[in-house]
């Protein structure tokens, strides 16, 4: 194995890589909230996708994709199961028929309302585990991280 990376460099990446640490933490948090939301039939991703749709006027798909830092294709795929379950409605924009507008259905609002106390309880438990100053510092730091070419300042 002429191109093998030395083990000490593998350990360096494992111990210092912020991207790896963040990905691992995100997966652990996702599993934790997936388990918590199971009684209402949602995943953490579905909850996070539905919450910004709880607004008076339907949101454009592009707006939601930008807010969630997702590409449109991934968002469209994630919306399909919510639409099939009758929780989200996707309709053409009245002024631009190429654009799509997203809104919660009554069933979607009811499901989101049932999920909110679960989120509050799980979130409070997580904040207690992290301690309030650490949780606040992390929450303040994460939005400052941007990918190459990303600009979500207007979202």
């Amino acid at each position: 194995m002429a191109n093998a990376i030395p083990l000490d460099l593998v350990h360096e990446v494992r111990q210092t890589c912020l991207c790896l640490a963040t990905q691992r933490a995100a997966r652990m948090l996702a599993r934790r909230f997936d388990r918590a939301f199971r009684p209402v039939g949602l995943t953490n991703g579905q909850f996070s996708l539905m919450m910004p749709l709880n607004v008076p006027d339907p949101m454009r798909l592009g707006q939601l994709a930008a807010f969630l830092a997702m590409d449109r294709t991934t968002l469209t795929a994630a919306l399909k199961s919510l639409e099939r379950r009758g929780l989200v409605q996707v309709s053409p924009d009245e002024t631009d028929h190429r654009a799509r507008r997203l809104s919660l259905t009554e069933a979607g609002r009811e499901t989101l309302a049932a999920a909110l106390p679960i989120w509050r309880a799980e979130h409070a438990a997580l904040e207690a585990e992290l301690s309030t100053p650490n949780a606040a510092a992390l929450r303040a730091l994460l939005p400052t991280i941007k990918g190459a070419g990303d600009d979500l300042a207007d979202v």
Side-chain angles (χ1 to χ4, degrees):
M1 295 194 352
N3 293 329
I5 297 172
L7 193 54
D8 61 328
L9 292 177
V10 172
H11 291 162
E12 177 187 345
V13 170
R14 182 183 67 202
Q15 294 166 356
T16 62
C17 181
L18 292 172
C19 186
L20 175 61
T22 303
Q23 288 171 336
R24 291 184 71 203
R27 288 183 191 110
M28 288 186 276
L29 286 171
R31 284 193 297 270
R32 178 179 181 150
F33 279 87
D34 282 347
R35 281 191 301 274
F37 288 132
R38 196 171 291 139
V40 293
L42 292 178
T43 65
N44 78 89
Q46 291 169 331
F47 176 83
S48 296
L49 191 156
M50 290 172 66
M51 187 55 74
L53 295 178
N54 192 39
V55 292
D57 297 318
M59 181 181 285
R60 282 188 171 188
L61 185 120
Q63 289 174 298
L64 183 59
F67 176 76
L68 295 173
M70 293 175 77
D71 63 79
R72 290 168 170 266
T73 304
T74 303
L75 177 56
T76 298
L79 284 166
K80 286 189 189 297
S81 68
L82 294 172
E83 191 177 15
R84 276 193 304 269
R85 290 177 53 198
L87 302 177
V88 171
Q89 179 178 342
V90 180
S91 54
D93 186 286
E94 291 178 8
T95 59
D96 179 359
H97 293 292
R98 295 170 298 162
R100 290 181 286 163
R101 294 272 181 176
L102 311 171
S103 57
L104 292 177
T105 63
E106 186 59 34
R109 284 189 290 280
E110 289 172 5
T111 300
L112 199 55
L116 193 55
I118 295 168
W119 175 84
R120 281 197 171 122
E122 196 63 35
H123 198 267
L126 179 60
E127 288 227 14
E129 290 171 28
L130 291 173
S131 82
T132 301
N134 289 335
L138 180 60
R139 194 174 10 265
L141 179 63
L142 289 176
T144 68
I145 300 171
K146 293 189 178 180
D150 288 349
D151 185 10
L152 300 178
D154 296 330
V155 178

